[in-house]
Amino acid sequence: MVYDDITDPFRRLVRIMERLQEPGGCPWDLEQTHESLKPYMIEEAYEALEAIDSGDDTALAEELGDVLLQVVFHSTLARRTGRFTIDDVSQAAAMKMVRRHPHVFGEVEANTAKDVLVNWEKLKHAERKAKASEAGSDEKPKGLLDGVPKELPALLRAQRIQEKAARTGFDWKEVGPVLDKVAEETRELKEAVAAGDKRHAHDELGDLLFTLVNVARFLELDAEEALRSTCAKFQRRFARIEESARAEGRHVHDLTLEEMDARWEHAKLDEEH
């Protein structure tokens, strides 16, 4: 075992990563940059989500370790060039948690989760304003929605944008009018399709999806997770179609649409029972 004398598991991980990036360390690790590691950060996060969905605690612990490894990797890269260290990262996170939880560590009252989120956004806005003032920046202040990462999957990004806007009071009062809006956007999409206007159809499809995300938010559902679940369901049922075809010595391409529809319904009934 390497560095067994370091009893703190986190410190041992940090030291191992430092060794990999020291002279004589791992050639691959030494070649990496923050930019080259970006895909791995995203990949590890999604693998952690899969582990959560599986309900396997062993797998989740392993995948969370991989996410942590990415944080340590980036911090070690920054340490090599004297920019910041893992301690700076940890300290910044700790200070942020204390600063944004004045209802726990201070005198502010927040009796509901909604109160906490509203206060969180106010604190974030104040922090951004203070940073801009300290830097003497003449740049236009960032808007409330600018903090939603552009790299997020579109459904998740739409839900985060809507959540942030809603905390300012810019929101529907109840789900009924939102469902009416779904019908309206569906009608407008049909009209664009009927007109053969692909550009207009593109815009109307986006509007419909955005409105459906609003429905999910009102129902306290995660739109991204709902679609992920449906994708998994579709994949599972389609696999049943393939399996039934193979059992007859056929390939799915050999099936007619009617045969596939019948097998789909059979797979659907099996799942429901």
Side-chain angles (χ1 to χ4, degrees), residues 37-110:
L37 290 173
K38 284 167 63 176
Y40 301 104
M41 179 74 83
I42 295 171
E43 180 181 336
E44 299 299 354
Y46 276 108
E47 288 183 359
L49 291 182
E50 289 184 12
I52 292 173
D53 291 341
S54 73
D56 186 333
D57 286 345
T58 300
L60 179 56
E62 180 178 347
E63 296 303 337
L64 288 175
D66 290 342
V67 173
L68 176 60
L69 179 60
Q70 288 301 308
V71 175
V72 174
F73 203 147
H74 280 276
S75 300
T76 306
L77 281 175
R79 176 179 176 273
R80 281 167 51 193
T81 54
R83 288 176 292 154
F84 59 83
T85 69
I86 189 64
D87 286 340
D88 295 325
V89 172
S90 300
Q91 177 69 355
M95 291 176 65
K96 180 183 293 184
M97 288 301 97
V98 171
R99 190 168 61 248
R100 294 192 183 173
H101 289 80
H103 53 289
V104 176
F105 302 106
E107 303 301 323
V108 174
E109 284 193 18

Side-chain angles (χ1 to χ4, degrees), residues 151-207:
E151 294 79 6
L152 286 178
L155 287 180
L156 178 57
R157 185 166 181 246
Q159 193 148 349
R160 292 292 175 266
I161 286 174
Q162 292 173 9
E163 288 169 352
K164 285 178 176 289
R167 289 169 199 159
T168 69
F170 187 68
D171 198 11
W172 303 88
K173 298 298 182 183
E174 54 188 28
V175 72
V178 188
L179 292 170
D180 292 339
K181 187 67 174 176
V182 170
E184 176 188 328
E185 297 297 352
T186 301
R187 185 184 69 253
E188 292 178 356
L189 175 59
K190 287 180 179 179
E191 292 172 355
V193 172
D197 189 337
K198 195 169 184 179
R199 179 68 252 180
H200 189 198
H202 171 277
D203 292 342
E204 295 301 339
L205 177 60
D207 290 345

Side-chain angles (χ1 to χ4, degrees), residues 103-124:
H103 53 289
V104 176
F105 302 106
E107 303 301 323
V108 174
E109 284 193 18
N111 298 315
T112 67
K114 183 177 180 180
D115 291 340
V116 172
L117 292 175
V118 170
N119 196 46
W120 181 281
E121 291 299 334
K122 289 180 180 178
L123 289 167
K124 283 180 67 174

